[in-house]
Amino acid sequence: MTAIPYLVAYLGIVIFLIAVIARVIMWIRMPIHLRWELYPVAHEGKKAAYGGSYLEESEWWNRPREFSLISEIKSMAAEILFLVALKEHNRSMWTRSFPFHFGLYLITGVSVLMFLEAVCLLYDAGLASSLAFRILDPVIVILGAAGLLLGLIGAIGLLHRRLIAWELKEFSAPADYFNLAFFVVAFGISLAGLVLAWPGFFSRVKIFIANMLVMDLAPISDGGTAAVLPVISIMLMSLLLAYIPLTHMSHFISKYFAYHSIRWNDEPNLPGSSEEKTIREALGRPVSWSAPHIRV
């Protein structure tokens, strides 16, 4: 029985990686999408400040195009971290979605920190008493607790919003309610484990991660509710990790393609360019729609 949490965790990580890779390959292989042709485009740099583009330049096709990676990264960071578009267009949804997503970011960051700490401890057990680790441990606890609390508040808020907002009922499938309920349960139990197993919750999780790295299936629970909750939390989080990329919640991956291949794609279609070749391939695809206005 002690091996079950480890098997669930291994399986969750493997399914997550396979699902993410499969989705990325699927999106890469998709035909060219209709571009939005909306400005500003982030990588335009200075021109993006007023919604301009390289098309303003006379004989732009003969001029070298300027590309600002810094401007693009700044725009992406603001959208990813603070959901600025949602805040501008739907403030009531943003007040629920922002804590949910930011909580996920904190939990992800804490998981990475615990992984790195586990690796360091396996390499040199004496590091546990070092100043860096004595500082890192409370940081992990604070950020982890904040992440779980924000994630729980956001998940409850989003679930409540879907249940009461009439404008969302047309767009809410049973899976949408289940997804949010799954997060509520996973975050709720993890938060309860953090409180009841205080202050050893994250210590047990770090031991579990270290054991996984060396294929040691030793139990981290010695019985009792407070000791069992961290194990249940790990299993729920592992299942959640495997589940997310199998659903529409995989937008954390697809958003990259939506921005770079659709919203920000302003590559000109010049004679002999790769863009022209891609468009020709798309136009050569057979039409298989069955709508009455389509004539195959």
Side-chain angles (χ1 to χ4, degrees):
M1 294 295 289
T2 59
I4 292 178
Y6 291 97
L7 295 177
V8 172
Y10 284 130
L11 191 62
I13 294 171
V14 170
I15 293 176
F16 174 83
L17 293 175
I18 292 175
V20 167
I21 292 171
R23 285 194 176 269
V24 169
I25 293 174
M26 177 190 71
W27 283 314
I28 288 175
R29 290 179 174 177
M30 279 186 172
I32 188 172
H33 199 286
L34 291 175
R35 292 174 4 188
W36 286 12
E37 299 292 351
L38 297 178
Y39 296 91
V41 175
H43 56 241
E44 283 284 1
K46 293 180 180 179
K47 289 187 177 67
Y50 58 88
S53 79
Y54 65 89
L55 298 175
E56 299 172 20
E57 307 289 342
S58 60
E59 297 188 353
W60 54 263
W61 53 91
N62 291 324
R63 297 173 177 266
R65 292 182 58 204
E66 295 182 8
F67 184 93
S68 175
L69 180 61
I70 294 177
S71 296
E72 190 170 288
I73 291 174
K74 286 169 60 178
S75 180
M76 289 173 60
E79 179 60 32
I80 292 170
L81 294 176
F82 305 110
L83 309 179
V84 291
L86 185 62
K87 184 179 181 180
E88 292 175 3
H89 301 291
N90 193 335
R91 181 63 69 93
S92 61
M93 184 64 78
W94 179 83
T95 57
R96 297 162 173 82
S97 189
F98 172 70
F100 174 72
H101 284 85
F102 204 79
L104 284 175
Y105 300 152
L106 289 177
I107 292 169
T108 302
V110 165
S111 300
V112 172
L113 287 177
M114 288 192 294
F115 171 79
L116 295 175
E117 193 173 18
V119 171
C120 292
L121 290 176
L122 287 172
Y123 176 75
D124 184 357
L127 289 173
S129 59
S130 66
L131 177 60
F133 273 59
R134 291 201 302 271
I135 295 174
L136 186 59
D137 283 341
V139 170
I140 287 175
V141 173
I142 293 171
L143 295 182
L148 290 172
L149 182 59
L150 286 172
L152 179 60
I153 292 172
I156 292 174
L158 288 170
L159 182 58
H160 176 260
R161 175 73 174 166
R162 282 197 178 273
L163 289 170
I164 67 168
W166 63 268
E167 68 270 19
L168 293 179
K169 292 188 182 296
E170 295 292 332
F171 306 98
S172 298
D176 296 314
Y177 301 107
F178 174 80
N179 295 345
L180 291 171
F182 195 169
F183 277 104
V184 170
V185 171
F187 290 161
I189 290 179
S190 298
L191 201 57
L194 175 62
V195 173
L196 296 176
W198 184 273
F201 179 84
F202 287 108
S203 297
R204 293 178 186 273
V205 175
K206 281 185 286 186
I207 293 172
F208 184 89
I209 294 173
N211 288 347
M212 286 186 66
L213 292 173
V214 295
M215 302 292 288
D216 182 359
L217 306 185
I220 62 169
S221 171
D222 53 4
T225 303
V228 170
L229 281 176
V231 177
I232 297 175
S233 172
I234 290 170
M235 294 176 66
L236 284 173
M237 289 297 189
S238 300
L239 293 173
L240 194 58
L241 182 69
Y243 179 68
I244 287 174
L246 301 177
T247 70
H248 72 270
M249 293 186 291
S250 60
H251 66 262
F252 73 96
I253 317 165
S254 62
K255 203 167 187 178
Y256 173 87
F257 293 92
Y259 270 72
H260 288 81
S261 299
I262 304 172
R263 183 172 179 178
W264 289 347
N265 183 9
D266 61 348
E267 191 68 27
N269 179 22
L270 299 175
S273 66
S274 59
E275 198 77 3
E276 182 186 51
K277 180 182 177 183
T278 303
I279 292 173
R280 286 186 182 279
E281 291 175 354
L283 291 174
R285 289 174 175 266
V287 179
S288 58
W289 299 344
S290 59
H293 64 283
I294 298 296
R295 296 291 179 264
V296 181

